[in-house]
Amino acid sequence: DAGITQSPRHKVTETGTPVTLRCHQTENHRYMYWYRQDPGHGLRLIHYSYGVKDTDKGEVSDGYSVSRSKTEDFLLTLESATSSQTSVYFCAISGYTLRDLYFGPGTRLTVT
Amino acid sequence: ELKVEQNPLFLSMQEGKNYTIYCNYSTTSDRLYWYRQDPGKSLESLFVLLSNGAVKQEGRLMASLDTKARLSTLHITAAVHDLSATYFCAVANTGNQFYFGTGTSLTVIP
């Protein structure tokens, strides 16, 4: 199994509060991704990174920001959480050859 | 933006039967991935297809890729209960972004 961890694994927060999710990898992979999974929508890309300090938006980036100051860590921040951001968030990584995409265990976020 | 469509969305099949899940995508790509997800779990990689005509098989599952038709299939042979899960296909674009279909929820009935 690829060495990917996510923290926290579960979180309940109130509307309007900032939230940061962390993805940590031990594979030294270049590419890192944040997805959200919602029923009926599959997985949708929020943001991704192609190197330290190099990030770009995905298809559902509004209300989210990311940072990558080290190869191994990719942070997802919800600036001011809303109920529509209740979801399961997955981090994924891929190496230079992009031959595969490996997923972390996921974070279940509930915004009340 | 790359669009990925899977069908069917829901599939209920009897043990021992064969069936195919289809994955269509909207723009040129030669990288197609299949994943399995069990309830409450993360996604597990099943197949990586990296060229036109690629075919891969693992147990009762076989995946193929036709890049000209922008179509991949996941064929299930003689289904067993353990194959019950949600299956996703994903396509990578030239910008190295991976786009997913909405998934096919498979239930195998004894």
Side-chain angles (χ1 to χ4, degrees):
Chain A
D1 288 346
I4 312 170
T5 57
Q6 293 184 231
S7 59
R9 295 291 313 280
H10 302 272
K11 186 170 181 66
V12 180
T13 191
E14 292 185 348
T15 298
T17 60
V19 176
T20 295
L21 308 182
R22 179 179 183 238
C23 176
H24 178 79
Q25 60 146 330
T26 57
E27 305 295 322
N28 199 35
H29 279 359
R30 177 182 179 185
Y31 297 93
M32 299 185 76
Y33 304 81
W34 277 108
Y35 286 90
R36 61 177 288 173
Q37 184 176 29
D38 305 288
H41 290 278
L43 283 89
R44 291 180 291 174
L45 181 63
I46 305 171
H47 281 279
Y48 65 104
S49 170
Y50 43 94
V52 173
K53 292 186 168 54
D54 291 324
T55 65
D56 209 344
K57 296 179 180 180
E59 55 189 316
V60 289
S61 59
D62 286 349
Y64 301 95
S65 62
V66 290
S67 66
R68 192 172 179 195
S69 58
K70 297 186 289 186
T71 298
E72 57 266 36
D73 289 326
F74 193 32
L75 304 180
L76 177 71
T77 298
L78 288 66
E79 307 289 349
S80 175
T82 68
S83 59
S84 65
Q85 293 175 314
T86 292
S87 187
V88 179
Y89 291 85
F90 286 101
C91 174
I93 64 173
S94 188
Y96 283 93
T97 61
L98 291 156
R99 292 183 70 82
D100 208 343
L101 186 66
Y102 302 99
F103 282 85
T107 294
R108 183 173 295 277
L109 176 68
T110 302
V111 183
T112 60
Chain B
E1 183 180 298
L2 199 157
K3 301 290 187 187
V4 182
E5 290 186 356
Q6 278 181 248
N7 66 82
L9 299 183
F10 299 93
L11 177 56
S12 180
M13 56 190 298
Q14 287 187 316
E15 279 192 334
K17 298 293 187 182
N18 304 334
Y19 210 85
T20 301
I21 299 171
Y22 297 88
C23 176
N24 292 91
Y25 53 98
S26 61
T27 60
T28 302
S29 175
D30 56 4
R31 289 183 284 157
L32 193 293
Y33 306 79
W34 284 97
Y35 290 88
R36 168 184 172 140
Q37 186 180 37
D38 293 301
K41 304 293 187 183
S42 186
L43 281 80
E44 172 192 352
S45 178
L46 292 174
F47 300 109
V48 180
L49 303 169
L50 299 176
S51 62
N52 185 43
V55 177
K56 291 197 174 178
Q57 183 164 4
E58 179 74 32
R60 300 175 188 273
L61 301 178
M62 183 175 71
S64 65
L65 177 61
D66 181 344
T67 58
K68 292 185 173 63
R70 299 177 187 165
L71 171 69
S72 180
T73 60
L74 180 66
H75 187 72
I76 303 157
T77 301
V80 294
H81 180 69
D82 285 352
L83 291 179
S84 296
T86 299
Y87 294 84
F88 291 93
C89 63
V91 180
N93 66 6
T94 53
N96 301 322
Q97 300 165 35
F98 293 73
Y99 289 86
F100 283 78
T102 50
T104 296
S105 177
L106 171 65
T107 302
V108 180
I109 303 167

